[in-house]
Amino acid sequence: MTTTNLHHADQIIAALPYLIGFAPTDSLVALTIRETREIGPVIRLDLPRPPDRLPMAEHLAEILAAHRVEDALLIVVGGREPLHDKPFVTTVRQTLVESGVTVEHAFWTRSVEAGQPWLSYDDPEFTGTVADPDTTALAAQFTVEGVVVYPSREAMADSLAADPEPDLDRRAALIDDLATEYATVADKLALIHQVIEEFDSPPTRDSRLMSTVAPPPRGHPTDPAPTDPDLDDTRLAHLAIALSDPEVREACLAIPLGARDRPAARLWTRLTRALPAPERAEPAFHLAVTAYLHGDGVYARVALGVALEADPRHSLAALLDSAAHHGIPPTDLRDLIAQVQAKSARASPG
Protein backbone atom coordinates (compact mmCIF):
# COMPACT_ATOMS: atom_id res chain seq x y z
CA MET A 1 0.00 0.00 0.00
CA THR A 2 2.17 2.80 -1.31
CA THR A 3 -0.23 5.72 -0.81
CA THR A 4 -0.19 5.77 2.98
CA ASN A 5 2.52 8.21 3.92
CA LEU A 6 2.83 11.50 5.78
CA HIS A 7 1.70 13.47 2.74
CA HIS A 8 -1.46 11.44 2.13
CA ALA A 9 -2.77 10.40 5.54
CA ASP A 10 -4.77 13.64 5.91
CA GLN A 11 -6.53 12.91 2.61
CA ILE A 12 -7.07 9.23 3.33
CA ILE A 13 -8.72 9.90 6.69
CA ALA A 14 -10.83 12.67 5.17
CA ALA A 15 -12.08 10.28 2.49
CA LEU A 16 -13.59 7.83 5.01
CA PRO A 17 -17.17 9.18 4.80
CA TYR A 18 -17.12 8.70 1.03
CA LEU A 19 -15.63 5.22 1.31
CA ILE A 20 -18.16 4.08 3.91
CA GLY A 21 -21.21 6.12 2.96
CA PHE A 22 -21.43 8.07 6.21
CA ALA A 23 -19.14 9.83 8.67
CA PRO A 24 -17.89 7.17 11.12
CA THR A 25 -17.85 7.71 14.87
CA ASP A 26 -16.45 5.47 17.62
CA SER A 27 -15.23 3.10 14.92
CA LEU A 28 -12.30 1.08 13.69
CA VAL A 29 -11.95 1.33 9.92
CA ALA A 30 -9.70 -1.00 7.91
CA LEU A 31 -8.64 0.03 4.40
CA THR A 32 -7.25 -2.95 2.51
CA ILE A 33 -5.29 -4.15 -0.50
CA ARG A 34 -5.81 -7.66 -1.88
CA GLU A 35 -3.09 -10.12 -2.85
CA THR A 36 -3.73 -9.11 -6.48
CA ARG A 37 -2.74 -5.51 -5.47
CA GLU A 38 -6.31 -4.39 -6.12
CA ILE A 39 -8.14 -2.26 -3.58
CA GLY A 40 -9.97 -4.52 -1.15
CA PRO A 41 -12.99 -3.95 1.08
CA VAL A 42 -13.35 -1.07 3.52
CA ILE A 43 -14.44 -2.57 6.84
CA ARG A 44 -15.95 -0.53 9.68
CA LEU A 45 -16.46 -1.95 13.17
CA ASP A 46 -17.79 -0.37 16.35
CA LEU A 47 -15.10 0.16 18.98
CA PRO A 48 -15.44 -2.79 21.38
CA ARG A 49 -15.54 -3.17 25.12
CA PRO A 50 -12.35 -4.75 26.54
CA PRO A 51 -13.83 -8.31 26.71
CA ASP A 52 -14.71 -8.08 23.01
CA ARG A 53 -11.30 -6.96 21.73
CA LEU A 54 -9.95 -10.36 20.72
CA PRO A 55 -13.23 -11.70 19.25
CA MET A 56 -13.58 -8.56 17.15
CA ALA A 57 -9.97 -8.76 15.99
CA GLU A 58 -10.49 -12.40 15.01
CA HIS A 59 -13.72 -11.50 13.21
CA LEU A 60 -11.88 -8.82 11.20
CA ALA A 61 -9.12 -11.29 10.35
CA GLU A 62 -11.75 -13.77 9.14
CA ILE A 63 -13.31 -11.16 6.84
CA LEU A 64 -9.97 -10.09 5.39
CA ALA A 65 -8.96 -13.71 4.80
CA ALA A 66 -12.17 -14.28 2.81
CA HIS A 67 -11.24 -11.31 0.62
CA ARG A 68 -7.60 -12.44 0.25
CA VAL A 69 -6.31 -9.20 1.76
CA GLU A 70 -2.55 -8.72 1.95
CA ASP A 71 -2.17 -5.20 3.42
CA ALA A 72 -4.33 -3.12 5.74
CA LEU A 73 -4.37 0.40 7.10
CA LEU A 74 -6.19 0.86 10.43
CA ILE A 75 -7.92 4.08 11.47
CA VAL A 76 -9.60 4.59 14.83
CA VAL A 77 -12.19 7.37 14.89
CA GLY A 78 -13.43 8.63 18.26
CA GLY A 79 -12.92 7.30 21.74
CA ARG A 80 -12.35 9.09 25.01
CA GLU A 81 -8.74 10.18 24.59
CA PRO A 82 -6.01 10.63 21.93
CA LEU A 83 -4.71 7.31 20.61
CA HIS A 84 -7.76 5.67 22.14
CA ASP A 85 -7.55 2.02 23.25
CA LYS A 86 -3.98 1.13 22.27
CA PRO A 87 -4.45 -2.45 23.59
CA PHE A 88 -7.26 -3.01 21.08
CA VAL A 89 -5.18 -1.68 18.19
CA THR A 90 -2.28 -3.89 19.30
CA THR A 91 -4.58 -6.92 19.44
CA VAL A 92 -5.94 -6.21 15.97
CA ARG A 93 -2.47 -5.74 14.53
CA GLN A 94 -1.12 -8.95 16.07
CA THR A 95 -4.16 -10.96 14.98
CA LEU A 96 -3.97 -9.69 11.41
CA VAL A 97 -0.22 -10.27 11.17
CA GLU A 98 -0.69 -13.83 12.44
CA SER A 99 -3.26 -14.37 9.68
CA GLY A 100 -0.86 -13.09 7.01
CA VAL A 101 -2.04 -9.49 6.70
CA THR A 102 0.55 -6.71 6.89
CA VAL A 103 -0.60 -3.65 8.86
CA GLU A 104 1.28 -0.70 7.41
CA HIS A 105 0.02 2.03 9.74
CA ALA A 106 -2.53 2.64 12.48
CA PHE A 107 -3.94 6.14 12.96
CA TRP A 108 -6.30 7.87 15.38
CA THR A 109 -8.50 10.92 15.03
CA ARG A 110 -11.33 12.16 17.21
CA SER A 111 -13.61 12.80 14.24
CA VAL A 112 -13.44 13.04 10.46
CA GLU A 113 -13.68 16.81 10.26
CA ALA A 114 -11.44 19.37 8.62
CA GLY A 115 -8.65 20.49 10.92
CA GLN A 116 -9.02 17.69 13.47
CA PRO A 117 -5.61 16.32 14.51
CA TRP A 118 -4.64 12.80 13.59
CA LEU A 119 -1.96 10.81 15.37
CA SER A 120 -0.02 7.64 14.66
CA TYR A 121 -0.09 4.69 17.05
CA ASP A 122 3.38 3.80 15.76
CA ASP A 123 5.34 7.06 15.71
CA PRO A 124 4.67 10.20 17.82
CA GLU A 125 6.36 12.30 15.11
CA PHE A 126 3.89 11.04 12.52
CA THR A 127 0.97 13.46 12.90
CA GLY A 128 -1.06 16.06 11.07
CA THR A 129 -4.59 17.40 10.59
CA VAL A 130 -7.52 15.96 8.68
CA ALA A 131 -8.19 17.55 5.31
CA ASP A 132 -11.63 18.90 4.44
CA PRO A 133 -13.65 15.76 3.58
CA ASP A 134 -15.59 17.68 0.91
CA THR A 135 -12.45 18.73 -0.99
CA THR A 136 -10.76 15.36 -1.48
CA ALA A 137 -10.40 13.87 -4.95
CA LEU A 138 -12.77 11.08 -3.95
CA ALA A 139 -15.37 13.63 -2.83
CA ALA A 140 -15.12 15.36 -6.20
CA GLN A 141 -15.62 12.06 -8.02
CA PHE A 142 -18.64 11.12 -5.91
CA THR A 143 -20.15 14.59 -6.32
CA VAL A 144 -19.96 14.27 -10.09
CA GLU A 145 -21.69 10.89 -9.80
CA GLY A 146 -24.44 12.45 -7.69
CA VAL A 147 -23.72 10.41 -4.57
CA VAL A 148 -24.45 11.81 -1.14
CA VAL A 149 -22.67 10.99 2.11
CA TYR A 150 -24.94 10.58 5.10
CA PRO A 151 -23.94 12.38 8.31
CA SER A 152 -24.35 9.14 10.28
CA ARG A 153 -25.45 5.53 10.02
CA GLU A 154 -28.73 6.57 11.64
CA ALA A 155 -29.33 9.10 8.86
CA MET A 156 -28.68 6.36 6.30
CA ALA A 157 -31.31 4.20 8.01
CA ASP A 158 -33.73 7.14 8.04
CA SER A 159 -33.51 7.21 4.23
CA LEU A 160 -35.58 4.00 4.27
CA ALA A 161 -38.07 5.21 6.87
CA ALA A 162 -41.65 4.11 6.32
CA ASP A 163 -44.37 6.39 4.98
CA PRO A 164 -46.82 7.94 7.48
CA GLU A 165 -48.81 5.39 9.47
CA PRO A 166 -52.23 6.32 8.03
CA ASP A 167 -50.89 5.58 4.54
CA LEU A 168 -49.50 2.24 5.67
CA ASP A 169 -52.76 1.28 7.40
CA ARG A 170 -54.76 2.12 4.29
CA ARG A 171 -52.46 0.02 2.09
CA ALA A 172 -52.46 -2.88 4.57
CA ALA A 173 -56.27 -3.03 4.39
CA LEU A 174 -56.11 -2.92 0.60
CA ILE A 175 -53.53 -5.74 0.51
CA ASP A 176 -55.86 -7.88 2.61
CA ASP A 177 -58.79 -7.12 0.30
CA LEU A 178 -56.87 -7.90 -2.89
CA ALA A 179 -55.01 -10.96 -1.58
CA THR A 180 -57.96 -13.22 -2.46
CA GLU A 181 -57.70 -12.35 -6.15
CA TYR A 182 -56.03 -15.10 -8.18
CA ALA A 183 -52.93 -14.36 -10.25
CA THR A 184 -50.35 -16.76 -11.63
CA VAL A 185 -46.66 -16.51 -10.89
CA ALA A 186 -46.17 -15.41 -14.49
CA ASP A 187 -48.73 -12.62 -14.01
CA LYS A 188 -47.02 -11.41 -10.84
CA LEU A 189 -43.58 -11.43 -12.46
CA ALA A 190 -44.94 -9.61 -15.49
CA LEU A 191 -46.28 -6.86 -13.21
CA ILE A 192 -42.93 -6.45 -11.47
CA HIS A 193 -40.97 -6.31 -14.72
CA GLN A 194 -43.48 -3.89 -16.20
CA VAL A 195 -43.04 -1.48 -13.30
CA ILE A 196 -39.24 -1.84 -13.41
CA GLU A 197 -39.42 -0.94 -17.10
CA GLU A 198 -41.35 2.19 -16.16
CA PHE A 199 -38.63 3.08 -13.65
CA ASP A 200 -36.13 2.62 -16.50
CA SER A 201 -37.97 4.93 -18.88
CA PRO A 202 -35.84 7.52 -20.70
CA PRO A 203 -36.12 11.09 -19.44
CA THR A 204 -38.77 13.32 -20.94
CA ARG A 205 -37.91 16.52 -22.76
CA ASP A 206 -38.93 18.57 -19.70
CA SER A 207 -36.70 16.56 -17.36
CA ARG A 208 -33.77 16.86 -19.79
CA LEU A 209 -34.33 20.62 -19.92
CA MET A 210 -34.37 20.83 -16.13
CA SER A 211 -31.09 18.92 -15.95
CA THR A 212 -29.42 21.60 -18.08
CA VAL A 213 -30.69 24.35 -15.80
CA ALA A 214 -29.68 22.84 -12.45
CA PRO A 215 -27.40 19.98 -11.43
CA PRO A 216 -29.10 16.73 -10.48
CA PRO A 217 -29.85 16.35 -6.77
CA ARG A 218 -27.26 14.38 -4.85
CA GLY A 219 -28.46 11.16 -3.31
CA HIS A 220 -27.94 7.46 -2.95
CA PRO A 221 -28.06 5.54 -6.29
CA THR A 222 -31.30 3.93 -5.13
CA ASP A 223 -33.03 7.26 -4.44
CA PRO A 224 -35.92 8.34 -6.69
CA ALA A 225 -35.19 9.81 -10.10
CA PRO A 226 -37.29 12.61 -11.66
CA THR A 227 -38.67 10.16 -14.23
CA ASP A 228 -39.80 7.50 -11.74
CA PRO A 229 -43.53 6.77 -12.03
CA ASP A 230 -46.09 7.43 -9.34
CA LEU A 231 -47.52 4.27 -7.78
CA ASP A 232 -51.05 4.50 -6.41
CA ASP A 233 -52.25 2.39 -3.51
CA THR A 234 -53.81 -0.30 -5.69
CA ARG A 235 -50.61 -0.82 -7.63
CA LEU A 236 -48.55 -0.83 -4.45
CA ALA A 237 -50.85 -3.50 -3.02
CA HIS A 238 -50.57 -5.68 -6.12
CA LEU A 239 -46.78 -5.38 -6.05
CA ALA A 240 -46.73 -6.32 -2.36
CA ILE A 241 -48.84 -9.41 -3.05
CA ALA A 242 -46.64 -10.39 -5.98
CA LEU A 243 -43.41 -10.12 -3.98
CA SER A 244 -44.90 -12.19 -1.16
CA ASP A 245 -45.03 -15.21 -3.48
CA PRO A 246 -41.94 -17.41 -2.77
CA GLU A 247 -41.55 -18.32 -6.44
CA VAL A 248 -41.63 -14.65 -7.41
CA ARG A 249 -39.11 -13.82 -4.68
CA GLU A 250 -36.71 -16.45 -6.04
CA ALA A 251 -37.16 -15.29 -9.63
CA CYS A 252 -36.47 -11.69 -8.60
CA LEU A 253 -33.06 -12.71 -7.30
CA ALA A 254 -31.92 -12.68 -10.93
CA ILE A 255 -32.83 -9.02 -11.42
CA PRO A 256 -29.66 -7.58 -9.77
CA LEU A 257 -27.59 -9.66 -12.20
CA GLY A 258 -29.13 -7.90 -15.21
CA ALA A 259 -29.03 -4.50 -16.86
CA ARG A 260 -32.01 -3.09 -14.98
CA ASP A 261 -30.63 -3.48 -11.49
CA ARG A 262 -30.54 0.29 -10.83
CA PRO A 263 -34.17 1.06 -11.75
CA ALA A 264 -35.19 -2.09 -9.90
CA ALA A 265 -33.35 -0.82 -6.81
CA ARG A 266 -35.31 2.44 -6.98
CA LEU A 267 -38.52 0.39 -7.12
CA TRP A 268 -37.40 -1.69 -4.12
CA THR A 269 -36.61 1.55 -2.26
CA ARG A 270 -40.04 3.00 -3.01
CA LEU A 271 -41.76 -0.19 -1.90
CA THR A 272 -39.67 -0.42 1.27
CA ARG A 273 -40.90 3.02 2.26
CA ALA A 274 -44.47 2.59 1.01
CA LEU A 275 -45.48 -0.88 2.21
CA PRO A 276 -46.55 -1.92 5.71
CA ALA A 277 -44.94 -4.72 7.68
CA PRO A 278 -44.50 -7.58 7.02
CA GLU A 279 -44.77 -6.90 3.26
CA ARG A 280 -42.00 -4.27 3.26
CA ALA A 281 -39.52 -6.99 4.22
CA GLU A 282 -39.53 -8.33 0.64
CA PRO A 283 -38.43 -5.17 -1.23
CA ALA A 284 -35.99 -4.35 1.58
CA PHE A 285 -34.40 -7.78 1.10
CA HIS A 286 -34.09 -7.30 -2.67
CA LEU A 287 -32.67 -3.82 -2.11
CA ALA A 288 -30.07 -5.35 0.20
CA VAL A 289 -29.09 -7.94 -2.41
CA THR A 290 -28.61 -5.23 -5.04
CA ALA A 291 -26.57 -3.04 -2.69
CA TYR A 292 -24.37 -5.95 -1.60
CA LEU A 293 -23.66 -7.01 -5.18
CA HIS A 294 -22.54 -3.44 -5.89
CA GLY A 295 -20.14 -3.58 -2.96
CA ASP A 296 -22.24 -1.33 -0.73
CA GLY A 297 -22.23 -3.60 2.29
CA VAL A 298 -23.14 -0.87 4.78
CA TYR A 299 -26.33 0.09 2.92
CA ALA A 300 -27.11 -3.61 2.47
CA ARG A 301 -26.91 -4.18 6.23
CA VAL A 302 -29.23 -1.20 6.80
CA ALA A 303 -31.77 -2.61 4.34
CA LEU A 304 -31.49 -6.05 5.93
CA GLY A 305 -32.19 -4.47 9.30
CA VAL A 306 -35.41 -3.04 7.88
CA ALA A 307 -36.34 -6.42 6.38
CA LEU A 308 -35.76 -8.34 9.61
CA GLU A 309 -37.57 -5.76 11.71
CA ALA A 310 -40.59 -6.04 9.40
CA ASP A 311 -40.44 -9.85 9.32
CA PRO A 312 -38.07 -11.48 11.84
CA ARG A 313 -38.78 -14.88 10.24
CA HIS A 314 -37.58 -13.83 6.78
CA SER A 315 -35.10 -16.67 6.29
CA LEU A 316 -33.33 -15.29 3.21
CA ALA A 317 -32.79 -11.91 4.85
CA ALA A 318 -31.39 -13.63 7.94
CA LEU A 319 -29.12 -15.76 5.75
CA LEU A 320 -27.78 -12.77 3.83
CA ASP A 321 -27.34 -10.82 7.06
CA SER A 322 -25.22 -13.65 8.46
CA ALA A 323 -23.21 -13.81 5.22
CA ALA A 324 -22.64 -10.07 5.32
CA HIS A 325 -21.56 -10.29 8.95
CA HIS A 326 -18.93 -12.84 7.93
CA GLY A 327 -17.83 -10.68 5.02
CA ILE A 328 -18.45 -12.93 2.04
CA PRO A 329 -17.27 -11.18 -1.14
CA PRO A 330 -20.01 -9.85 -3.46
CA THR A 331 -18.68 -12.12 -6.20
CA ASP A 332 -19.47 -15.15 -4.05
CA LEU A 333 -23.05 -13.94 -3.57
CA ARG A 334 -23.35 -13.35 -7.32
CA ASP A 335 -22.14 -16.90 -8.03
CA LEU A 336 -24.55 -18.32 -5.46
CA ILE A 337 -27.52 -16.52 -7.02
CA ALA A 338 -26.49 -17.72 -10.48
CA GLN A 339 -26.35 -21.30 -9.17
CA VAL A 340 -29.79 -21.01 -7.59
CA GLN A 341 -31.21 -19.63 -10.84
CA ALA A 342 -29.62 -22.39 -12.89
CA LYS A 343 -30.95 -25.06 -10.52
CA SER A 344 -34.42 -23.52 -10.66
CA ALA A 345 -34.34 -23.44 -14.46
CA ARG A 346 -33.39 -27.15 -14.62
CA ALA A 347 -36.22 -28.03 -12.26
CA SER A 348 -38.85 -26.13 -14.23
CA PRO A 349 -40.91 -28.16 -16.70
CA GLY A 350 -40.31 -27.55 -20.37
Side-chain angles (χ1 to χ4, degrees):
M1 190 181 297
T2 60
T3 59
T4 57
N5 56 48
L6 187 60
H7 303 290
H8 294 94
D10 59 335
Q11 297 283 324
I12 292 170
I13 296 171
L16 291 183
Y18 288 89
L19 293 170
I20 299 171
F22 62 91
T25 58
D26 294 327
S27 302
L28 170 72
V29 181
L31 309 181
T32 66
I33 296 291
R34 292 192 175 98
E35 295 172 355
T36 57
R37 308 315 298 166
E38 298 171 321
I39 295 175
V42 179
I43 309 296
R44 189 208 69 87
L45 301 171
D46 291 332
L47 293 178
R49 301 173 304 160
D52 298 327
R53 287 170 179 160
L54 181 57
M56 183 171 287
E58 291 174 341
H59 176 57
L60 178 59
E62 178 186 359
I63 293 174
L64 299 192
H67 286 268
R68 300 185 180 278
V69 165
E70 187 172 81
D71 296 309
L73 169 69
L74 304 179
I75 303 170
V76 172
V77 181
R80 295 181 300 275
E81 69 282 326
L83 298 177
H84 174 77
D85 205 348
K86 287 184 180 181
F88 172 53
V89 174
T90 299
T91 299
V92 171
R93 184 192 295 272
Q94 291 175 344
T95 304
L96 293 185
V97 169
E98 290 170 2
S99 67
V101 177
T102 300
V103 177
E104 184 178 356
H105 291 296
F107 297 122
W108 170 89
T109 186
R110 191 172 303 281
S111 64
V112 184
E113 299 177 23
Q116 281 288 331
W118 58 261
L119 307 173
S120 168
Y121 283 91
D122 307 304
D123 183 353
E125 301 296 324
F126 198 13
T127 185
T129 57
V130 179
D132 184 346
D134 292 331
T135 63
T136 65
L138 193 62
Q141 176 184 338
F142 274 56
T143 299
V144 169
E145 295 174 0
V147 176
V148 68
V149 170
Y150 295 95
S152 66
R153 194 179 191 278
E154 291 73 22
M156 181 182 283
D158 287 344
S159 71
L160 293 178
D163 285 353
E165 191 168 343
D167 294 340
L168 299 179
D169 291 342
R170 186 179 66 249
R171 292 163 193 160
L174 189 56
I175 290 170
D176 291 340
D177 290 342
L178 297 177
T180 57
E181 295 183 0
Y182 176 76
T184 66
V185 170
D187 291 337
K188 295 172 181 176
L189 277 172
L191 170 63
I192 291 170
H193 283 286
Q194 177 186 342
V195 177
I196 291 174
E197 184 175 352
E198 293 173 16
F199 273 75
D200 196 29
S201 297
T204 62
R205 179 183 181 278
D206 289 342
S207 64
R208 287 197 302 269
L209 180 61
M210 286 295 294
S211 69
T212 65
V213 175
R218 298 176 67 198
H220 195 271
T222 62
D223 281 350
T227 55
D228 287 350
D230 292 328
L231 301 175
D232 61 25
D233 284 356
T234 300
R235 213 163 191 212
L236 289 170
H238 279 127
L239 286 164
I241 293 167
L243 283 173
S244 297
D245 188 314
E247 291 186 62
V248 174
R249 178 200 299 160
E250 181 177 315
C252 285
L253 286 173
I255 292 174
L257 306 181
R260 286 182 170 166
D261 55 334
R262 292 297 191 184
R266 295 202 306 277
L267 170 59
W268 306 144
T269 302
R270 178 69 187 109
L271 294 179
T272 298
R273 295 166 175 161
L275 297 183
E279 285 82 9
R280 74 190 302 243
E282 299 300 338
F285 165 71
H286 289 293
L287 179 60
V289 171
T290 302
Y292 203 87
L293 290 176
H294 281 276
D296 195 347
V298 175
Y299 196 80
R301 294 297 298 275
V302 168
L304 287 169
V306 172
L308 290 170
E309 180 181 4
D311 182 5
R313 296 180 296 178
H314 197 294
S315 57
L316 287 180
L319 184 64
L320 180 56
D321 191 54
S322 176
H325 177 74
H326 288 88
I328 71 163
T331 52
D332 288 2
L333 177 60
R334 183 177 293 272
D335 292 343
L336 180 60
I337 292 174
Q339 292 170 16
V340 169
Q341 295 296 312
K343 182 179 179 180
S344 178
R346 289 194 299 269
S348 299

